[in-house]
Amino acid sequence: MPNIDPEVLAGSLRRLEKLGTGDVPGAVADVVHAAVDLFQVTGSGLMIADEENSLHYVAASNGPSKVMEQVQSHVGEGPCVSAFVHNRVVHTDDLKADPRWPRIRETFLEHGVVSVLGAPVRLGGVPVGTLDVFLDRPHDWDDTEAAALERYTGLIEATLSTALAAQRAGELAGQLQYALDYRIVIERAVGYLMARRETGAEQAFDLLRSTARSQRRRIAEVAQHLLDTGDLPG
Amino acid sequence: MMPGSQGAMPVDQNALATSLENLSAAGLSHDRRGLEERLDQVLTAARDMIEVDGVGLMLLDDAGALRVAGASVPAGMALEQAQLRLDCGPGIDCVRGNETVTVTDLAASEDYAPVWEELKGGEAPVRAVVSVPVLVTGSVAGTLNALRSRPQRWDDDSVRAVEAYAEVISVLLRLGATAQR
């Protein structure tokens, strides 16, 4: 015990099927909203990255969540950007006293975002975005909270996988399909450059991006070339 | 994190981390068995983290009838079955009214006296109950009940924690129904 009765579950699913469970992005939003109650935070948000490593808002529980995602997308820095680029949980306990992200700090604080915990969201083991939760006051995030958020991203990943499988997610499906098709190649190329040039993840990505721009090619193509030949094109 | 009380959490975050570990993508999308297992994990996690003696889940079937999907203790199963048999109880009212129902002591409740009559002879019968609706896209899909075998006044933190688990159950059901289409 407890054991879920398969027949009762099947009956419930048949009922929900008839009622219509809404669109798949709606289910993604539900998971993001559920995080607010489960973690008892002020807000939560989910962002998915594009080719430029720029994170784009997919779902947010409230206004400040949207603003914090938009400003991070715009200036390319912030706790969620760091969580994504470094592929690990990143937190700030009190943004007022944290010098790491000067370009987003003021906007965050204006909108009541004071402490933030962000975790990478992965598909097929590769980071494709971030899930963040925040509070409107300072908070010392501890390891258990970080671990809990990281585990919760498992539920997000299940939802995103379903979104892809259902192929009814519109723009979101496009973003995710891109992530699946290209992120692995880009990640591997970044790892290759980091090892060969003894550099950090951000610098390695910047090198891929600047090469792509100067060659007028897509970052994923440059990454594939690097992996195929061992050298950057050009 | 409780609003207004630094760092005091209604749920044990260590236990939450462990319980969520297995709520991963593998198998959920296409496999009913995977969904059963995950619902099972959520019920177990809810029981452990809200520190109650048991939890029970009732779901509406495709004919609109409420049925027992699972319960973590025999006393919980007895409560759910008694409610369905008598068409009376906090879980029934929760689903009908689409609202959270709390009972401090079933033995002292006039509304649910018939339920207590059925339960009182059993082993460690349920005394305190909180029933929260499981909502899927705004409609009631069932009810999650948390139980204690002693009279207990339910504080806001405990009720919110049960509601949070009901939300997770809702997400899993929605995914299951979406994947099935």
Side-chain angles (χ1 to χ4, degrees):
Chain A
M1 285 219 187
N3 276 313
I4 297 294
D5 184 326
E7 271 184 45
V8 174
L9 178 60
S12 171
L13 294 181
R14 279 196 301 272
R15 176 173 176 275
L16 294 174
E17 226 184 323
K18 278 190 217 159
L19 283 179
T21 44
D23 55 350
V24 177
V28 176
D30 280 354
V31 192
V32 174
H33 283 239
V36 174
D37 284 340
L38 202 57
F39 294 94
Q40 305 244 324
V41 288
T42 312
S44 62
L46 171 69
M47 290 191 283
I48 300 291
D50 68 7
E51 191 191 54
E52 293 279 321
N53 261 10
S54 186
L55 291 164
H56 294 282
Y57 150 79
V58 171
S61 67
N62 56 16
S65 289
K66 281 187 192 176
V67 171
M68 69 186 263
E69 295 186 0
Q70 282 162 355
V71 67
Q72 287 184 98
S73 295
H74 185 63
V75 306
E77 70 171 36
C80 306
V81 175
S82 294
F84 171 72
V85 171
H86 298 290
N87 192 15
R88 60 176 160 76
V89 176
V90 168
H91 63 96
T92 175
D93 297 343
D94 184 357
L95 207 51
K96 284 195 278 289
D98 194 331
R100 284 179 290 178
W101 307 289
R103 295 164 72 199
I104 55 98
R105 188 162 61 189
E106 210 169 297
T107 313
F108 270 43
L109 292 172
E110 266 172 26
H111 288 85
V113 179
V114 180
S115 52
V116 184
L117 182 65
V121 170
R122 304 179 183 100
L123 276 179
V126 175
V128 296
T130 62
L131 175 71
D132 60 82
V133 293
F134 74 89
L135 282 165
D136 55 7
R137 56 185 163 76
H139 177 77
D140 294 332
W141 304 101
D142 63 26
D143 289 348
T144 61
E145 289 166 323
L149 185 70
E150 200 163 31
R151 300 301 191 272
Y152 192 73
T153 62
L155 199 52
I156 300 272
E157 287 154 18
T159 316
L160 295 178
S161 299
T162 306
L164 269 177
Q167 287 294 322
R168 281 189 298 272
E171 191 187 345
L172 174 62
Q175 279 174 282
L176 293 174
Q177 196 57 56
Y178 172 80
L180 278 183
D181 291 344
Y182 298 110
R183 280 244 72 88
I184 294 172
V185 177
I186 295 173
E187 282 293 314
R188 285 176 54 213
V190 165
Y192 180 84
L193 284 176
M194 284 169 68
R196 205 169 69 167
R197 305 202 177 196
E198 293 181 356
T199 183
E202 274 157 291
Q203 290 86 345
F205 183 81
D206 283 343
L207 186 56
L208 282 180
R209 177 162 50 194
S210 60
T211 307
R213 280 187 181 157
S214 68
Q215 304 251 327
R216 298 189 177 182
R217 295 168 78 168
R218 300 192 70 162
I219 296 173
E221 285 173 31
V222 171
Q224 189 63 57
H225 182 97
L226 175 70
L227 293 173
D228 290 345
T229 66
D231 288 306
L232 287 165
Chain B
M1 297 127 276
M2 283 305 299
S5 60
Q6 305 275 330
M9 293 196 162
V11 296
D12 176 336
Q13 295 291 303
N14 265 321
L16 178 62
T18 310
S19 71
L20 289 172
E21 193 159 23
N22 295 319
L23 290 175
S24 61
L28 181 60
S29 309
H30 309 292
D31 178 7
R32 179 84 55 75
R33 182 85 196 108
L35 180 59
E36 286 165 28
E37 282 171 12
R38 274 158 189 81
L39 283 171
D40 210 83
Q41 287 163 1
V42 175
L43 288 186
T44 305
R47 182 199 62 197
D48 294 347
M49 276 176 272
I50 310 164
E51 293 182 347
V52 288
D53 297 320
V55 290
L57 177 66
M58 294 199 283
L59 295 173
L60 287 166
D61 69 13
D62 48 342
L66 200 56
R67 299 175 66 185
V68 182
S72 69
V73 286
M77 187 57 93
L79 170 73
E80 309 295 44
Q81 285 169 346
Q83 291 190 87
L84 292 185
R85 210 163 34 241
L86 297 164
D87 193 27
C88 168
I92 305 279
D93 286 346
C94 166
V95 169
R96 284 198 181 132
N98 185 8
E99 61 183 2
T100 296
V101 176
T102 57
V103 181
T104 305
D105 187 2
L106 267 181
S109 164
E110 285 181 20
D111 291 346
Y112 305 128
V115 180
W116 177 245
E117 276 303 309
E118 282 237 354
L119 298 182
K120 67 181 183 186
E123 194 182 333
V126 173
R127 295 291 291 267
V129 187
V130 56
S131 298
V132 307
V134 175
L135 297 174
V136 178
T137 56
S139 302
V140 181
T143 173
L144 175 64
N145 303 313
L147 328 159
R148 287 195 174 118
S149 55
R150 278 176 301 186
Q152 165 96 34
R153 187 172 295 281
W154 297 93
D155 59 27
D156 289 348
D157 292 355
S158 301
V159 173
R160 271 194 76 169
V162 181
E163 287 171 345
Y165 281 98
E167 272 189 83
V168 175
I169 289 170
S170 158
V171 168
L172 290 173
L173 289 175
R174 185 170 176 172
L175 285 178
T178 304
Q180 189 165 277
R181 274 191 298 181

